[in-house]
Amino acid sequence: MAKKVDRPSIRDGYDLWSETYDATANPLVALDRRHTTSLLRPQPHERILDAGCGTGGHLGLMLLALSSPFGLDLSRGMLSMARRKFPSVPLAQADLNDRLPVHRRIFDAVLCALVSEHIAKLGMLFRDFFDSLAAGGRLVFSAFHPEMAAAGIEANFERNGVEHRLGALRYTVDDYLTMIDDAGFRNIRVSEFHGDEALAQEIPWALKYLGRPLMLGVQATKG
């Protein structure tokens, strides 16, 4: 019998996934947790916007670095999980396809990790990131690698025998870099992260991704 497949809205899908998200073996999230904070390099007293913070996977690392994070996410369920873990961190619900509900020039850094495949108005979002940063502020952006999206892979999870698929808008690496440049960012640097032996040891079924590009990372600065 074929598995039942459901395609909920992005908000509904992540609300449904929120309670099991942290326990789901996810190679992309594992790579993101390993590399993205190293790209961000949070510092004491820095004000950092985590746009698409989910259950707070990066918020705890920012707190350990004595930074001052602020989290935004579309999903109330994901925010609820983040709030349970980090009650001191200010969080707000926001659709990143709309204008950001933040003031201009108040953050030292912006992190946007693994949400771009759900953002149709990505150019506007990068411009809002630029406006929200103080002079010299930096952007760290990570994304599901375009080669994976082009192969038809998308965010998905299973619950009660139903596979929930959340879709993936298809951007190219050049699309991302052009939008970041057009927003005004400079010193743009690109990293690609591949499936490796450490990932396969952590998540055995991820061996099929050995040597394949799974995540794109971009660093840029304002001014």
Side-chain angles (χ1 to χ4, degrees):
M1 181 181 296
K3 181 184 297 184
K4 183 178 179 182
V5 174
D6 181 41
R7 286 195 173 275
S9 69
I10 300 303
R11 188 197 307 264
D12 289 346
Y14 280 102
D15 280 348
L16 185 63
W17 197 0
S18 60
E19 291 189 1
T20 59
Y21 186 86
D22 288 339
T24 301
N26 188 319
L28 184 62
V29 171
L31 279 182
D32 185 62
R33 297 290 186 266
R34 192 198 310 173
H35 295 292
T36 300
T37 300
S38 296
L39 298 180
L40 181 65
R41 301 186 308 280
Q43 302 297 313
H45 312 300
E46 282 191 324
R47 297 159 298 175
I48 303 177
L49 173 63
D50 188 347
C53 65
T55 62
H58 292 294
L59 296 176
L61 296 172
M62 295 178 200
L63 290 174
L64 285 174
L66 303 181
S67 300
S68 297
F70 172 60
L72 297 175
D73 203 88
L74 174 65
S75 164
R76 285 185 182 275
M78 301 293 265
L79 288 171
S80 177
M81 298 301 293
R83 190 168 287 112
R84 289 183 203 174
K85 292 187 283 186
F86 308 110
S88 67
V89 176
L91 303 172
Q93 185 179 25
D95 187 340
L96 299 187
N97 279 301
D98 297 331
R99 303 307 299 264
L100 289 180
V102 298
H103 295 295
R104 301 182 66 190
R105 299 185 294 275
I106 64 169
F107 292 110
D108 300 296
V110 171
L111 171 66
C112 184
L114 305 185
V115 297
S116 62
E117 73 268 26
H118 303 312
I119 309 299
K121 298 179 180 179
L122 198 53
M124 181 181 76
L125 182 62
F126 285 129
R127 291 192 295 273
D128 277 1
F129 287 159
F130 186 88
D131 287 343
S132 75
L133 284 167
R138 61 196 188 281
L139 169 70
V140 172
F141 167 76
S142 68
F144 185 42
H145 199 285
E147 288 190 21
M148 294 290 102
I153 300 173
E154 60 188 282
N156 66 89
F157 65 100
E158 188 171 324
R159 183 166 178 173
N160 298 326
V162 178
E163 182 182 356
H164 300 276
R165 298 179 184 175
L166 303 182
L169 296 173
R170 296 187 181 183
Y171 294 105
T172 66
V173 175
D174 284 344
D175 288 336
Y176 288 133
L177 299 184
T178 296
M179 286 187 281
I180 291 171
D181 182 75
D182 287 347
F185 287 99
R186 298 295 178 261
N187 304 315
I188 300 171
R189 291 155 286 168
V190 180
S191 303
E192 291 185 315
F193 301 98
H194 296 70
D196 56 18
E197 294 288 352
L199 183 65
Q201 289 181 9
E202 181 178 353
I203 305 173
W205 63 262
L207 183 63
K208 64 183 179 180
Y209 295 126
L210 191 64
R212 297 179 65 183
L214 284 180
M215 192 180 81
L216 182 75
V218 181
Q219 300 162 272
T221 56
K222 179 174 181 174

